[in-house]
């Protein structure tokens, strides 16, 4: 009898080594993972994401749960690989360069400049957050994890995660007033 859940099909396919299943998993999760790792300041987000997927491949047969649990599991691995990356960098500092490609003309220059300034402002505000608050907010927003899933990923109680989220959002609101009228 075939599985009723489409994600279960993907999971079964991935466990069997089906390329289509791994392509789907990677295609859905890679942009979010790289975005999370980049926002967290990983020296080489793509490399860390590669380590995450390698661990996912190795541990897939031991995983149990549905799609939501799978995403939480992958982001938990990402959070732990990020911690390892930070430890490695403390031992051997690496110069971080921008991965942002330069645009080759076209489009509205004014819009592009405004977008880059806004992006830089948001990044600067996020970078100013204490590490725990930054992790909680990025796992919540980019990883789309629940409070309970974040608590398991970062090794804290749900109440502590809620408090970190609330304090982080307040700091961001003060640094970057989202509701303020723009000129």
């Amino acid at each position: 009898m075939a599985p009723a859940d489409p994600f279960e099909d993907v999971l079964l396919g991935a466990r069997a080594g089906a390329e289509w299943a791994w392509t789907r998993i990677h295609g859905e999760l890679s942009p979010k993972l790289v975005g999370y790792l980049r926002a967290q300041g990983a020296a080489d987000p793509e490399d860390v994401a590669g380590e995450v997927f390698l661990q996912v491949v190795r541990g897939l047969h031991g995983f149990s749960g549905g799609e939501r649990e799978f995403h939480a599991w992958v982001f938990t691995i990402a959070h732990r690989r990020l911690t390892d990356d930070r430890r490695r960098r403390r031992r051997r500092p690496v110069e971080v360069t921008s991965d942002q490609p330069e645009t080759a003309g076209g489009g509205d220059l004014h819009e592009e400049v405004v977008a880059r300034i806004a992006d830089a402002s948001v990044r600067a505000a996020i970078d100013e957050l204490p590490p725990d608050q930054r992790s909680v907010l990025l796992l919540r927003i980019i990883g789309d994890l629940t409070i309970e899933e974040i608590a398991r990923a970062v090794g804290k109680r749900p109440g502590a995660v809620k408090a970190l989220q609330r304090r982080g959002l307040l700091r961001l609101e003060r640094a970057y007033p989202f509701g303020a009228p723009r000129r």
Side-chain angles (χ1 to χ4, degrees):
M1 186 167 160
D5 179 13
F7 180 73
E8 195 173 326
D9 287 338
V10 173
L11 203 55
L12 288 171
R15 285 183 173 137
E19 187 174 336
W20 66 267
W22 284 110
T23 299
R24 178 167 168 204
I25 289 170
H26 187 269
E28 286 181 13
L29 288 175
S30 184
K32 289 181 179 182
L33 277 177
V34 171
Y36 168 72
L37 295 165
R38 181 172 285 121
Q40 282 281 38
D44 188 348
E46 287 83 6
D47 187 49
V48 177
E51 291 176 23
V52 170
F53 281 110
L54 183 60
Q55 189 167 347
V56 168
V57 169
R58 289 179 180 151
L60 187 62
H61 289 285
F63 171 78
S64 64
E67 188 169 12
R68 182 90 197 161
E69 293 83 8
F70 182 76
H71 286 222
W73 178 61
V74 171
F75 273 90
T76 299
I77 293 169
H79 182 76
R80 291 179 181 155
R81 291 293 69 79
L82 179 64
T83 301
D84 293 344
D85 179 62
R86 287 182 175 147
R87 286 186 191 129
R88 221 178 0 258
R89 281 193 303 165
R90 275 194 295 265
R91 283 183 255 138
R92 290 180 296 189
V94 177
E95 183 180 327
V96 180
T97 60
S98 174
D99 289 358
Q100 298 299 321
E102 295 299 319
T103 56
D108 185 349
L109 181 60
H110 175 71
E111 286 180 18
E112 183 177 332
V113 169
V114 169
R116 284 186 183 232
I117 289 171
D119 186 45
S121 297
V122 171
R123 283 181 196 228
I126 290 172
D127 288 345
E128 293 296 318
L129 291 173
D132 283 348
Q133 291 175 13
R134 182 174 52 239
S135 292
V136 165
L137 287 177
L138 294 174
L139 285 168
R140 185 83 162 133
I141 295 166
I142 296 174
D144 193 31
L145 302 186
T146 66
I147 295 294
E148 291 75 21
E149 291 165 341
I150 295 168
R152 284 191 297 275
V154 300
K156 296 190 182 298
R157 291 188 314 261
V161 169
K162 286 179 186 178
L164 287 167
Q165 177 180 288
R166 185 174 50 255
R167 287 193 304 261
L169 288 172
L170 285 172
R171 285 181 76 137
L172 282 177
E173 187 176 0
R174 278 186 238 120
Y176 193 78
F178 298 106
R182 307 236 188 269
R183 292 183 193 225

